[in-house]
Amino acid sequence: MLVIGAAAGDAQRARSFDVHEATIADIQRALQSKRITTVAVVDQYLQRIKAYNGRCVNEPQGILGPITTIPRAGQINALSTLNLRPAARERWGFDARKARSLTDRVDSAALLPDALETAAAQDQVFARTGRLSGPLHGVVIAIKDQYDTKDMRTTSGADAQYANDRPPDDATFVAKLRDAGAIILAKANLAEYAVDGARSSFGGTFCNPYDTEREPGMSSAGSGTAVAANLVTCAIGEETVVSVRWPAAVNSIVGLAPTKELVSTDGMIGAGINMRVGPMCRTVADTARILDVIAGYDPRDAYTAVSVGRTPRTSYLEATTARSLAGLRIGVVREYLNRTLLAQADAQSVDLVERAIDVLKKLGATVVDPGPEGALFQQCIVRAAPELLSSAFARQYRPLFPVTAAGQPEGDQIATLVEMRADPSRVPEALTLRALGGGFVEPGEDKYMLNRYLRERGDANIKTNADLIAKASFYDDPNFPNRRAAREQAERATVLDTSARLHTRGALQTILLHCMEEQKLDALVAPMSTVPPKKLLSPREPPSNGRTPIGWFMFGQQGFPVIDVPAGFTTAVWDRERVGNETRLIGPVAAQLPVGVDFIARPFGEPLLFRIAAAYEAATKHRRPPDGFGPLP
């Protein structure tokens, strides 16, 4: 194995250890037994980045123009920036666009060591003391390029001309990772502004390592694919809708979207009410190790005050030793698995989640299952939702609550709600778990949060959302969302109003907690998505009875932590193609694509999630690395 950055002795030792599929415990045991040095660990990941992180699509008009896909590209373009000083980057042969700063070309500040310098310092401390520098010593991490890193550019994927593309300090959780010994090696590519689509104007298009012609998940997919292809040990993503769990599901890794109030969003571009900071690793235990470091109160994020007194006395990692689920009652969210309400494209994913339910039973859990066409929470929702959602419920079902042309109620809405409370049969049949939502963007939130972030960052050139519209370059490709249009739409807002969202979130959380308690449920099991990842240039599968084309997201948005764990692989899928103004199914198409299963707990129930996920993982061992991205020769 060619080792470019390590000394000769390091290279000799590195031959006895390979980071491919290595866990945190594996790396640290190798370090402690002196089978490898921290510098050599970083070198091995850099070798894999060099081998597999290249361009994965054709760009005949450049990075901002339309693309075409490449079958079996052998590349994924997951990491957009590398934490290497110019000399090290050039020695490795990485393109200048991967530089950790494009505005500081010299990049010589001693207080901003790069990844190799940080690793060397750890080796020196270990040689002197014989002790690791912290619980994440030697752990190589990628950070979604939505979060501030003081040593690397931070742009949320925008090709914007910042006066200083490095922010003044780290995001709070990034500082915690460094203090624990983690080595921040890269910024992960993302859907620009963390919205949707496998593309950003600065980083370009990124691909799924299990099929490079397919999408790799939602906006945190650069983080997810980097973990899946072993370019890093773990990564950090962000979830607003399904942005951690969907990349986890379609890349055969573990992704946790924790309780919103558990991890600080300080230092996040555009942090909103629903945004959650989530670790992504190849194992449940590694995911818990990361959460142990980043969880907790931060005075810079008021939401985290809710977490005080609600974190475990020991550690999240301790829960991952479980191998039995005896004593737990786990409810099956059949509302998301009813085949009669889904489509042909959903079939194989539903099969794999059904098998996961059987595993839970074998592990000793009491599985509360209303049956294939049943509904776990229907009776409870019908009784509780109209009153708790109140005016939001009335707006959703206008025929029952008519208003005048001026928007005033025509009748006594309170009387109608009282009658529904007394006689639930009067509640519309359409009110089901699938119909509950609450949205995830409120008036003015996008513009306010982005402008607040830019004000705090204090850049001399990019100061507002309006500056991004005027001064950034945007890609132009009809197969991907128009980012300039989204910025322009956000700019039109003049009022910030999150009151409706906060009310709906509180109401839905209360409803769901009530429904769980009625049946004495400790946790829930559900599909993450039942639709396989589409071809990059193909249309998405249409929604079906509340199932979105990207998966199920309601629980996480109401404050429930959700962990996604590998559940197996498809053998065939159905794709969509455009025919004029319509789409049609193509298939079955032979395809071995990963599928994930979600486990859901009450707010701050992460220890229970880790117990369930670890027992399931140990019993199934579904994680499988992608073909074509294996160990290097």
Side-chain angles (χ1 to χ4, degrees), residues 432-582:
T432 68
L433 184 69
R434 294 184 302 277
L436 297 180
F440 49 88
V441 176
E442 293 301 322
E445 185 182 59
D446 187 350
K447 179 180 175 180
Y448 172 81
M449 297 306 297
L450 185 54
N451 282 353
R452 191 193 79 172
Y453 166 84
L454 292 171
R455 171 70 67 87
E456 293 171 353
R457 179 164 170 167
D459 190 75
N461 190 42
I462 302 296
K463 300 178 180 180
T464 64
N465 179 66
D467 285 338
L468 289 169
I469 296 170
K471 299 178 181 181
S473 300
F474 295 87
Y475 62 73
D476 184 11
D477 186 338
N479 290 297
F480 294 87
N482 186 318
R483 298 305 184 200
R484 184 188 295 276
R487 291 295 95 221
E488 291 170 342
Q489 180 180 356
E491 187 61 22
R492 288 191 283 271
T494 58
V495 175
L496 173 66
D497 184 4
T498 58
S499 57
R501 175 70 194 111
L502 287 169
H503 162 253
T504 304
R505 183 179 189 266
L508 290 175
Q509 186 177 111
T510 301
I511 293 165
L512 296 170
L513 288 170
H514 173 53
C515 293
M516 288 182 70
E517 190 58 28
E518 270 199 342
Q519 300 187 59
K520 302 299 179 187
L521 299 176
D522 298 295
L524 306 171
V525 58
M528 188 277 117
S529 173
T530 49
V531 177
K534 72 178 186 70
K535 294 282 189 177
L536 280 168
L537 303 181
S538 298
R540 282 196 168 138
E541 180 68 17
S544 179
N545 289 289
R547 188 267 288 137
T548 72
I550 58 176
W552 302 99
F553 55 82
M554 196 269 295
F555 281 94
Q557 290 199 330
Q558 317 320 322
F560 291 75
V562 189
I563 192 169
D564 191 81
V565 185
F569 288 76
T570 64
T571 58
V573 299
W574 292 81
D575 287 325
R576 288 257 164 196
E577 72 172 2
R578 291 185 181 88
V579 181
N581 294 325
E582 299 181 351

Side-chain angles (χ1 to χ4, degrees), residues 216-218 239 241-251 253 255 257 333 336-337 346 349-350 352-353 525-533 546-554 562-567 594-600:
M218 202 71 169
E239 176 155 311
V241 187
V242 293
S243 295
V244 166
R245 294 176 297 116
W246 198 25
V250 301
N251 286 286
I253 64 172
V333 185
Y336 297 169
L337 287 165
D346 300 82
S349 296
V350 172
L352 291 170
V353 176
V525 58
M528 188 277 117
S529 173
T530 49
V531 177
R547 188 267 288 137
T548 72
I550 58 176
W552 302 99
F553 55 82
M554 196 269 295
V562 189
I563 192 169
D564 191 81
V565 185
V595 173
V597 60
D598 275 355
F599 301 116
I600 305 161

Side-chain angles (χ1 to χ4, degrees), residues 233-266:
T233 318
C234 291
I236 301 293
E238 170 276 326
E239 176 155 311
T240 304
V241 187
V242 293
S243 295
V244 166
R245 294 176 297 116
W246 198 25
V250 301
N251 286 286
S252 194
I253 64 172
V254 177
L256 172 69
T259 308
K260 155 73 178 175
E261 297 85 354
L262 187 60
V263 183
S264 172
T265 58
D266 166 68

Side-chain angles (χ1 to χ4, degrees), residues 286-348:
D286 282 0
T287 309
R289 288 177 189 268
I290 301 296
L291 188 64
D292 273 325
V293 169
I294 64 176
Y297 171 67
D298 174 19
R300 301 169 107 181
D301 180 353
Y303 284 102
T304 60
V306 182
S307 72
V308 175
R310 304 180 75 175
T311 53
R313 293 182 178 179
T314 53
S315 70
Y316 293 106
L317 179 62
E318 186 174 310
T320 65
T321 60
R323 295 297 178 266
S324 169
L325 300 182
L328 294 183
R329 286 174 60 85
I330 302 177
V332 180
V333 185
R334 280 290 172 187
E335 289 89 333
Y336 297 169
L337 287 165
N338 188 334
R339 295 174 190 271
T340 65
L341 301 175
L342 298 173
Q344 198 168 22
D346 300 82
Q348 284 208 355

Side-chain angles (χ1 to χ4, degrees), residues 418-434:
V418 169
E419 289 301 315
M420 286 182 177
R421 177 74 178 186
D423 181 8
S425 68
R426 301 186 60 174
V427 175
E429 291 184 3
L431 180 63
T432 68
L433 184 69
R434 294 184 302 277

